[in-house]
């Protein structure tokens, strides 16, 4: 079932896993008081492809660490720099951190970026396109592009409604997608002041639901809290390319934890987590235009199975490795972090 | 203020060799004496020149303590005791004492016979070194001398590994050595009581590592073994008699049972006997489960694991064999390796570190062609797997240990040049204690605040109790008066009288005398009378007497009056008081200097 499997236990659970390089990730606690931000180096064994047998090194190394005053609900690495930006989920302000160089193991707070409106439930989403620019906002009405070094606001998104956001990402150097919890998706270009393109949410199969969005290589997937998944083309969001009812325990969905993401190095694969103690991989190419129930191609149940706590364990975050096709990292509410490389049984 | 000094010895910034010097209460202790396995020259030994430039170490060290038998903790011991020179006691647990010399001899053989080195310790030196060993039992306090005591705690990690508490008076240090906070299949977890040492010494690599679970490591091992067996291959696992071998056997037995596998698993007989022997001797050092099993049956009576015979190595078909020695440098494991190396279906799994110069080390470095005796070459076609099964604590574990012991200060030994500010901050914040991180060769000084226990005499205690007031409360300090005497190395708090008696001293009385000039046109006795009246009105509540011998006494203060020779109205008052009445005496002299009020009759 697995080519590689590594299971770790952090002292405190994390809601964020963010790549800071091809071999390092940042994780951070989300308790209400002081939390640690850690930069971890993945085990050498994972990368020793030809000589895997000769490498015994299976552990995470804590390479850098720092302390945050409140919870860390969103963490983004600014590409091309040693900076990460965080948001505490309570306000729309962002904290800027510098991950120490070779001579220091400290992640130090070096600045902050003010959000458009200070108090906000649900916190901000952050996207970082080029070095030193940040796109951030908690609602569709307060999204702005800020120059990191000067604090100058380069662009603001003007919308009629203030829908809370569930995702914010760039689909090209300047075009971004803001996914709202109600299913609306805004697409805008930071170079122009033209009105954004609004695509309303798909017709929900179960009553009122929340939506999450992810875009990659021209396709967009929207996932609802009832497990409904819709694939569309980026240029034509109004039309659905395919739909499916995923096999998730929708009644137990924890809005803070739900994640859906396209595999960066695999065609038509998505990973879904946050509904339970499992991470599911689905192949969207087998979906049709009629509503149908689908089964995951692979299910990583490790967190639920190896949990030592009596409470139900929830997966709080997952990320795909940017290059290795089937390698993922996932974290759960009991503090566990897994690194796994799954085997596609259908290809055997 | 008293201090404890800790210096990690070393020639270089590498981790890989443990040797720490501690100076506490006037005593010098060496903790571990490890060899650095990565070097071939003098860098592999700790730098003893820190202790003394030349000459023997005996007079500079009160004792040496070894935490466990791994070579990076005891590998330099014979060199230190026999070649540099040390004749004092060397403390280690019973299992360590039994196993250490075997590993040292193996290591010596590899270094001298295989690599042809000359400046290395001999077999006789190992024997002479071990003669200096004093074995320790768990939780037993051992008096090294009148002032220095040590105690060993269970550390897990390997058979016989201990964490050590060193105590002089009320100052103490705990050294963890290598330890493990989670029990495994044959060893328990480390444990220590809330001994509150002044310093807890540990390795920093623990704190910066987050360990992959045991389950994943085992899964990987079982997967590799299973894959080889499935394709008809043979699996060789070179092991040292104890420790991991036991763990892996239990693991395979359980797996074979669950998967209903038929391929044979063998254990070379020499191994079985030795292992059984040691486990019998040291059964108290294993965990609860093993002890229960051992009572019912022999350690190595497995359903699926049988004794090995040399001839089996040539049998066709899949099999798994555990054989010694662990680094493939000689003996049975090497013989089997030579037979199986040429077949790519086969596999060798190295469960631990291999010393330079051994076949194990070469193949783990990717070497696929080996030069054997008689100029023949061996093609290494089988699969080589390196798996680390050593049980170590990690970031979470170190925090747990600190919580258990509650040290006043933390000291992390590391070899790396990188400043570990985050780690230091984390410990300081979480526990509100200082965290020191001396580099090799650097000394960390920790100031201690020891409490000094003192006996109190019964009389003094009774006297204090008789004064009344609230009952004694350990949280509220109470001032009391007494004399502290030090007699025959014990401290006692007694009353002054008793102190004088016990020390055979005479009590000295201090008396102050003061002259005050006064203008008073009366006769001397009249002036005295006037003084008496004045004082009686001012000092109400004090005992004031006008004595027939011509003096006025206020408490014990004596006042006399005399006239100046030249002028009878210039009176000279002589005031005399003892030290106890200092305050009153000073008050009186100041008062009388002001003169007598006119309204007096």
């Amino acid at each position: 079932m697995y080519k590689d499997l590594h299971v770790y236990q952090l002292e405190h659970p994390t809601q964020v896993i963010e790549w800071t390089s091809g071999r390092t990730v940042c994780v951070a606690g989300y308790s209400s008081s002081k939390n640690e931000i850690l930069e971890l180096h993945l085990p050498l064994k994972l990368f020793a492809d030809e000589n895997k047998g000769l490498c015994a090194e299976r552990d995470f190394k804590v390479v850098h660490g720092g302390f945050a005053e409140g919870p860390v609900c969103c963490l983004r690495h600014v590409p091309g720099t040693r900076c990460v930006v965080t948001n505490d989920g309570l306000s729309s302000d962002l904290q800027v951190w510098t991950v120490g160089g070779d001579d220091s193991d400290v992640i130090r707070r070096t600045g902050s970026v003010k959000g458009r409106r200070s108090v906000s439930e649900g916190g901000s989403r952050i996207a970082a396109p080029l070095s030193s620019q940040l796109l951030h906002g908690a609602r569709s009405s307060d999204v702005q592009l800020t120059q990191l070094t000067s604090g100058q606001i380069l662009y603001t998104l003007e919308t009629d409604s203030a829908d809370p956001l569930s995702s914010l990402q760039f689909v090209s150097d300047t075009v971004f997608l803001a996914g709202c919890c109600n299913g609306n998706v805004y697409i805008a270009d930071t170079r122009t002041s033209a009105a954004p393109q609004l695509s309303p949410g798909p017709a929900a199969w179960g009553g009122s639901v929340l939506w999450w969005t992810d875009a990659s290589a021209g396709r967009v997937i929207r996932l609802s809290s009832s497990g409904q998944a819709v694939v569309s083309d980026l240029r034509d969001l109004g039309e659905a390319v395919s739909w499916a009812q995923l096999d998730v325990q929708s009644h137990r969905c924890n809005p803070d934890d739900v994640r859906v993401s396209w595999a960066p190095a695999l065609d038509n694969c998505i990973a879904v987590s946050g509904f339970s103690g499992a991470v599911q991989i689905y192949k969207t190419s087998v979906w049709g235009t009629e509503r149908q129930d689908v089964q995951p191609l692979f299910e990583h149940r490790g967190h639920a199975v190896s949990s030592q706590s009596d409470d139900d364990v929830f997966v709080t975050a997952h990320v795909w490795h940017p290059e290795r096709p089937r390698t993922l990292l996932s974290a759960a509410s009991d503090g566990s972090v897994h690194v796994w490389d799954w085997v596609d049984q259908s290809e055997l | 203020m008293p201090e404890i000094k800790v210096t990690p010895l070393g020639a270089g910034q590498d981790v890989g060799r443990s040797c720490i010097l501690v100076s506490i209460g006037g005593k010098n202790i060496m903790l571990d004496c490890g060899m650095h396995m990565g070097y071939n020259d003098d860098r592999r030994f700790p730098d003893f020149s820190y202790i003394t430039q030349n000459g023997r170490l005996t007079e500079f060290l009160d004792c040496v303590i070894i935490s466990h038998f791994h070579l990076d903790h005891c590998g330099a011991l014979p060199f230190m005791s026999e070649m540099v020179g040390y004749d004092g006691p060397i403390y280690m647990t019973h299992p360590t004492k039994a196993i250490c010399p075997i590993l040292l001899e193996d290591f010596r053989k590899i270094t001298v016979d295989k690599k042809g080195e000359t400046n290395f310790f001999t077999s006789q030196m190992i024997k002479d070194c071990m003669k200096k060993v004093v074995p320790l039992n768990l939780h037993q306090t051992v008096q090294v001398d009148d002032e220095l005591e040590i105690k060993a705690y269970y550390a897990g990690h390997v058979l016989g590994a201990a964490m050590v508490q060193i105590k002089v008076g009320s100052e103490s240090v705990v050294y963890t050595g290598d330890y493990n906070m989670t029990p495994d299949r044959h060893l328990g977890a480390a444990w220590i009581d809330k001994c509150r040492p002044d310093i807890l010494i540990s390795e920093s690599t623990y704190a910066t590592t987050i360990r992959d679970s045991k389950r994943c490591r085992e899964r990987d091992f079982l997967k590799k073994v299973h894959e080889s067996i499935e394709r008809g291959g043979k699996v060789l696992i070179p092991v040292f008699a104890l420790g991991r071998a036991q763990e892996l056997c239990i693991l395979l037995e359980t797996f074979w049972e669950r998967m209903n596998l038929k391929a044979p698993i063998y254990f070379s007989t020499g191994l079985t006997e030795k292992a059984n022997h040691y486990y019998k001797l040291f059964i108290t050092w294993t965990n609860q489960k093993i002890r229960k099993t051992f009572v019912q049956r022999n350690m190595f009576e497995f359903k699926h694991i049988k004794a090995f015979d040399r001839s089996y190595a040539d049998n066709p078909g899949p099999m798994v064999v555990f054989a010694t020695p662990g680094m493939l440098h000689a003996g049975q494991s090497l013989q089997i390796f030579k037979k199986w190396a040429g077949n790519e279906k086969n596999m060798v799994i190295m469960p631990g570190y291999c010393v330079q110069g051994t076949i194990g080390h070469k193949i783990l470095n990717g070497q696929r062609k080996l030069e054997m005796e008689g100029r023949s070459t061996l093609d290494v076609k089988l699969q080589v797997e390196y798996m680390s099964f050593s049980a170590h604590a990690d970031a979470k574990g170190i925090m747990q240990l600190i919580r258990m012991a509650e040290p006043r200060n933390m000291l992390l030994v590391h070899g790396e040049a990188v400043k570990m500010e985050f780690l230091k901050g984390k410990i300081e914040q979480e526990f509100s204690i200082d965290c020191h991180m001396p580099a090799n060769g650097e000394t960390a000084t920790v100031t201690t605040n020891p409490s000094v226990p003192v006996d109190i005499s019964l009389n003094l205690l009774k006297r204090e109790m008789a004064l009344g007031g609230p009952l004694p409360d350990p949280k509220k300090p109470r001032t009391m008066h007494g004399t502290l005497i030090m007699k025959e190395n014990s401290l006692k708090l007694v009353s002054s009288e008793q102190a004088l008696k016990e020390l055979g001293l005479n009590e000295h009385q201090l008396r102050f005398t003061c002259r005050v000039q006064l203008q008073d046109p009366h006769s001397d006795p009249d002036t005295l009378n006037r003084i008496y009246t004045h004082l009686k009105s001012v000092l109400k509540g004090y005992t004031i007497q006008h004595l027939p011998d011509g003096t006025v006494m206020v408490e014990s203060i004596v006042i006399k009056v005399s006239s100046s020779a030249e002028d009878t109205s210039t009176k000279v008052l002589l005031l005399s008081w003892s030290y106890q009445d200092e305050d009153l005496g000073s008050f009186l002299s100041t008062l009388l200097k002001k003169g007598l009020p006119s309204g007096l009759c």
Side-chain angles (χ1 to χ4, degrees):
Chain A
M1 274 179 49
Y2 294 94
K3 202 170 120 227
D4 282 307
L5 177 62
H6 297 263
V7 168
Y8 304 93
Q9 191 65 34
L10 297 178
E11 282 179 80
H12 308 284
T14 181
Q15 253 180 8
V16 300
I17 310 174
E18 171 80 350
W19 293 100
T20 48
S21 80
R23 295 182 176 204
T24 54
V25 289
C26 263
V27 294
Y30 55 92
S31 79
S32 52
S33 56
K34 212 162 185 153
N35 288 282
E36 281 177 11
I37 304 178
L38 302 172
E39 188 187 36
L40 307 171
H41 194 292
L42 265 61
L44 295 172
K45 197 174 176 80
L46 192 67
F47 303 102
D49 288 312
E50 303 85 44
N51 285 325
K52 227 182 184 61
L54 300 181
C55 182
E57 195 51 68
R58 300 183 66 97
D59 304 325
F60 270 155
K61 279 253 163 284
V62 179
V63 280
H64 292 97
F67 298 100
E69 288 306 315
V72 175
C73 294
C74 189
L75 190 151
R76 215 38 92 213
H77 173 236
V78 182
T81 71
R82 285 297 281 154
C83 283
V84 295
V85 183
T86 62
N87 173 261
D88 63 6
L90 305 165
S91 85
S92 63
D93 294 338
L94 309 178
Q95 295 82 39
V96 182
W97 309 78
T98 303
V99 181
D102 290 327
D103 56 341
S104 162
D105 67 338
V106 174
I107 299 178
R108 223 179 287 275
R109 171 99 181 258
T110 48
S112 58
V113 173
K114 279 205 93 50
R116 251 207 281 189
R117 262 160 273 273
S118 49
V119 178
S120 166
E121 276 170 35
S124 285
R125 304 290 134 196
I126 312 170
L130 314 160
S131 8
S132 355
Q133 279 180 14
L134 282 175
L135 185 72
H136 58 106
R139 290 173 177 267
S140 54
S141 50
D142 60 29
V143 174
Q144 63 189 45
L145 183 73
T146 308
Q147 172 73 263
L148 189 57
T149 40
S150 63
Q152 190 192 354
I153 300 169
L154 305 168
Y155 167 89
T156 51
L157 178 67
E158 300 297 342
T159 60
D160 293 326
S161 46
D163 305 322
L165 295 177
S166 60
S167 73
L168 198 58
Q169 67 183 121
F170 276 87
V171 292
S172 78
D173 281 348
T174 56
V175 177
F176 70 89
L177 185 149
C180 305
C181 294
N182 61 11
N184 287 351
V185 173
Y186 290 92
I187 302 181
D189 188 321
T190 56
R191 286 170 307 187
T192 77
S193 49
Q197 215 188 315
L198 165 60
S199 177
W205 291 336
S208 123
V209 291
L210 299 169
W211 291 92
W212 290 269
T213 313
D214 188 43
S216 168
R219 301 148 306 163
V220 174
I221 181 144
R222 275 176 284 190
L223 173 68
S224 83
S225 48
S226 62
Q228 179 186 355
V230 184
V231 178
S232 311
D233 191 290
L234 185 61
R235 294 156 300 183
D236 190 6
L237 276 178
E239 284 298 307
V241 167
S242 57
W243 323 63
Q245 175 61 42
L246 304 185
D247 184 24
V248 292
Q249 293 162 308
S250 48
H251 57 280
R252 303 171 72 216
C253 141
N254 189 359
D256 286 337
D257 293 337
V258 174
R259 306 270 190 277
V260 59
S261 61
W262 288 103
L266 268 185
D267 291 332
N268 305 311
C269 269
I270 56 160
V272 174
S273 68
F275 290 90
S276 66
V279 180
Q280 296 175 321
I281 313 283
Y282 289 91
K283 200 153 176 87
T284 61
S285 50
V286 302
W287 298 357
T289 47
E290 295 297 315
R291 175 180 177 164
Q292 85 250 208
D293 290 341
V294 289
Q295 290 301 308
L297 177 60
F298 184 84
E299 195 165 16
H300 173 71
R301 272 184 243 118
H303 294 282
V305 164
S306 57
S307 167
Q308 282 153 351
S309 69
D310 292 324
D311 311 313
D312 279 326
V313 169
F314 267 87
V315 173
T316 52
H318 77 257
V319 285
W320 291 87
H321 189 283
E323 284 134 40
R324 299 168 64 90
R326 287 179 196 78
T327 304
L328 285 103
L329 271 79
S330 54
S333 52
D334 63 351
S336 56
V337 171
H338 295 181
V339 182
W340 39 287
D341 195 322
W342 55 283
V343 172
D344 189 347
Q345 305 282 1
S346 66
E347 280 180 20
L348 292 174
Chain B
M1 289 297 279
E3 298 166 337
I4 302 177
K5 287 186 159 67
V6 180
T7 311
L9 284 190
Q13 293 285 74
D14 281 342
V15 184
R17 174 227 302 109
S18 297
C19 184
I20 301 167
L21 287 182
V22 173
S23 278
I24 173 175
K27 305 286 170 186
N28 294 325
I29 300 114
M30 180 184 284
L31 298 170
D32 279 340
C33 192
M35 177 87 83
H36 195 305
M37 312 306 273
Y39 292 120
N40 273 331
D41 50 29
D42 280 346
R43 284 176 298 175
R44 58 187 161 183
F45 298 120
D47 186 8
F48 299 118
S49 67
Y50 180 84
I51 306 172
T52 173
Q53 286 297 317
N54 41 39
R56 303 178 72 77
L57 304 173
T58 315
E59 60 183 280
F60 297 97
L61 293 173
D62 291 282
C63 72
V64 173
I65 307 175
I66 302 292
S67 63
H68 64 288
F69 60 66
H70 277 159
L71 289 173
D72 56 341
H73 289 258
C74 72
L77 190 63
F79 169 76
M80 194 271 298
S81 73
E82 306 311 305
M83 292 171 85
V84 177
Y86 170 74
D87 299 313
I90 301 173
Y91 291 95
M92 57 181 80
T93 62
H94 285 274
T96 311
K97 183 179 178 202
I99 299 166
C100 219
I102 304 171
L103 285 179
L104 286 170
E105 179 56 31
D106 255 4
F107 179 47
R108 189 205 66 78
K109 267 203 259 209
I110 297 170
T111 313
V112 173
D113 300 346
K114 295 265 160 216
K115 299 201 286 179
E117 283 200 32
T118 46
N119 188 27
F120 209 73
F121 49 82
T122 62
S123 295
Q124 186 57 42
M125 286 181 187
I126 296 174
K127 293 195 178 99
D128 291 337
C129 170
M130 296 313 287
K131 286 194 192 122
K132 299 170 185 171
V133 170
V134 179
L136 295 170
N137 285 315
L138 277 181
H139 307 161
Q140 176 194 42
T141 304
V142 170
Q143 294 288 144
V144 176
D145 61 33
D146 285 340
E147 291 150 320
L148 173 60
E149 49 183 63
I150 60 178
K151 193 197 299 192
Y153 288 93
Y154 192 80
H157 181 60
V158 286
L159 193 70
M163 303 190 290
V164 190
Q165 181 196 41
I166 299 129
K167 208 162 166 180
V168 178
S170 63
E171 286 177 294
S172 67
V173 162
V174 170
Y175 170 57
T176 66
D178 284 346
Y179 64 102
N180 185 26
M181 295 303 285
T182 47
D184 61 25
R185 282 167 215 272
H186 79 295
L187 291 176
W191 180 87
I192 193 165
D193 51 10
K194 218 183 273 289
C195 53
R196 299 218 176 97
D198 289 289
I199 314 175
L200 178 64
I201 304 176
S202 192
E203 277 258 343
S204 69
T205 38
Y206 287 143
T208 52
T209 306
I210 299 181
R211 288 206 176 264
D212 189 8
S213 70
K214 190 158 75 84
R215 216 159 155 186
C216 282
R217 287 174 209 272
E218 291 180 347
R219 181 197 157 268
D220 199 26
F221 170 70
L222 293 173
K223 188 171 162 216
K224 293 276 157 31
V225 172
H226 195 203
E227 276 168 5
S228 302
I229 298 294
E230 291 277 278
R231 63 174 182 239
K234 298 170 165 58
V235 182
L236 171 65
I237 308 174
V239 285
F240 174 62
L242 287 163
R244 293 307 128 199
Q246 191 61 27
E247 190 84 1
L248 297 176
C249 272
I250 299 172
L251 189 55
L252 279 185
E253 167 92 345
T254 322
F255 185 65
W256 248 241
E257 185 72 21
R258 180 157 56 92
M259 304 287 280
N260 199 17
L261 298 175
K262 302 291 175 214
I265 310 176
Y266 298 114
F267 220 95
S268 61
T269 41
L271 211 87
T272 327
E273 281 157 24
K274 242 190 251 169
N276 262 319
H277 168 72
Y278 286 120
Y279 272 99
K280 258 194 221 137
L281 272 182
F282 305 124
I283 195 68
T284 47
W285 283 86
T286 60
N287 66 19
Q288 197 61 15
K289 245 201 265 180
I290 296 278
R291 259 172 275 166
K292 265 201 269 181
T293 324
F294 196 74
V295 171
Q296 292 161 17
R297 61 178 165 110
N298 178 299
M299 264 342 261
F300 286 86
E301 256 174 47
F302 291 109
K303 223 168 105 183
H304 302 276
I305 308 182
K306 303 277 173 254
F308 185 68
D309 183 275
R310 273 174 25 158
S311 58
Y312 297 174
D314 298 316
N315 286 0
M319 70 172 81
V320 181
V321 176
F322 287 91
T324 53
M327 299 183 207
L328 283 182
H329 52 283
Q332 192 166 69
S333 60
L334 183 58
Q335 266 178 30
I336 300 171
F337 177 77
K338 283 191 210 166
K339 277 195 208 242
W340 294 358
N343 189 336
E344 61 235 349
K345 280 203 249 183
N346 295 341
M347 180 185 283
V348 63
I349 299 179
M350 308 297 298
Y353 182 87
C354 293
V355 166
Q356 251 190 43
T358 56
I359 303 265
H361 190 265
K362 292 188 180 134
I363 60 173
L364 285 181
N365 272 13
Q367 225 174 305
R368 302 301 275 176
K369 267 188 168 32
L370 298 168
E371 256 182 46
M372 312 300 286
E373 283 102 55
R375 304 282 190 91
S376 61
T377 26
L378 181 65
D379 272 326
V380 180
K381 293 205 185 130
L382 86 178
Q383 211 176 317
V384 179
E385 290 283 330
Y386 184 17
M387 297 191 186
S388 162
F389 289 100
S390 67
H392 273 291
D394 68 356
K396 197 167 168 202
I398 204 175
M399 302 304 258
Q400 276 178 295
L401 189 70
I402 299 175
R403 246 168 247 131
M404 257 192 197
E406 280 189 22
R408 279 168 242 254
N409 293 277
M410 190 67 207
L411 192 137
L412 291 173
V413 182
H414 66 116
E416 292 148 42
V418 175
K419 255 180 60 185
M420 294 189 166
E421 221 183 293
F422 166 64
L423 184 51
K424 192 170 184 297
K426 184 172 140 125
I427 290 174
E428 286 176 350
Q429 274 186 42
E430 174 112 12
F431 302 107
S432 304
I433 59 176
D434 282 338
C435 179
H436 304 258
M437 294 173 130
N440 283 355
E442 202 188 300
T443 304
T445 306
V446 175
T447 315
T448 57
N449 199 1
S451 53
V452 182
V454 162
D455 287 326
I456 182 170
S457 82
L458 197 56
N459 282 332
L460 195 60
L461 201 56
K462 280 188 186 160
R463 190 202 289 183
E464 284 300 316
M465 296 291 287
L467 288 175
L471 283 173
D473 181 349
K475 296 209 171 106
K476 292 203 183 101
R478 181 160 144 175
T479 315
M480 58 177 294
H481 293 278
T483 306
L484 190 68
I485 58 174
M486 198 157 106
K487 221 174 149 189
E488 290 139 23
N489 272 338
S490 77
L491 290 164
K492 253 196 314 185
L493 196 62
V494 297
S495 63
S496 322
E497 306 84 44
Q498 192 177 341
L500 290 168
K501 202 164 67 167
E502 284 209 29
L503 297 173
L505 295 171
N506 292 323
E507 187 176 4
H508 289 68
Q509 292 277 353
L510 275 172
R511 275 202 91 80
F512 295 90
T513 311
C514 162
R515 283 182 163 77
V516 176
Q517 269 201 346
L518 204 61
Q519 289 298 111
D520 196 66
H522 297 94
S523 67
D524 288 353
D526 282 347
T527 309
L528 192 68
N529 214 19
R530 295 183 77 220
I531 290 169
Y532 174 70
T533 317
H534 173 50
L535 291 179
K536 261 208 104 72
S537 72
V538 172
L539 295 173
K540 296 191 167 67
Y542 282 84
T543 313
I544 308 180
Q545 296 166 288
H546 189 159
L547 299 174
D549 65 356
T551 62
V552 164
M553 273 194 75
V554 180
E555 301 290 331
S556 70
I557 301 170
V558 179
I559 308 174
K560 279 196 187 137
V561 176
S562 58
S563 312
S564 135
E566 301 87 27
D567 173 17
T568 50
S569 58
T570 304
K571 306 290 178 200
V572 175
L573 304 179
L574 198 75
L575 280 80
S576 171
W577 60 85
S578 70
Y579 177 66
Q580 279 81 358
D581 290 320
E582 161 69 22
D583 287 338
L584 187 58
S586 301
F587 173 75
L588 276 181
S589 75
T590 315
L591 177 69
L592 291 172
K593 274 188 188 131
K594 292 187 186 143
L596 295 169
S598 45
L600 275 176
C601 50

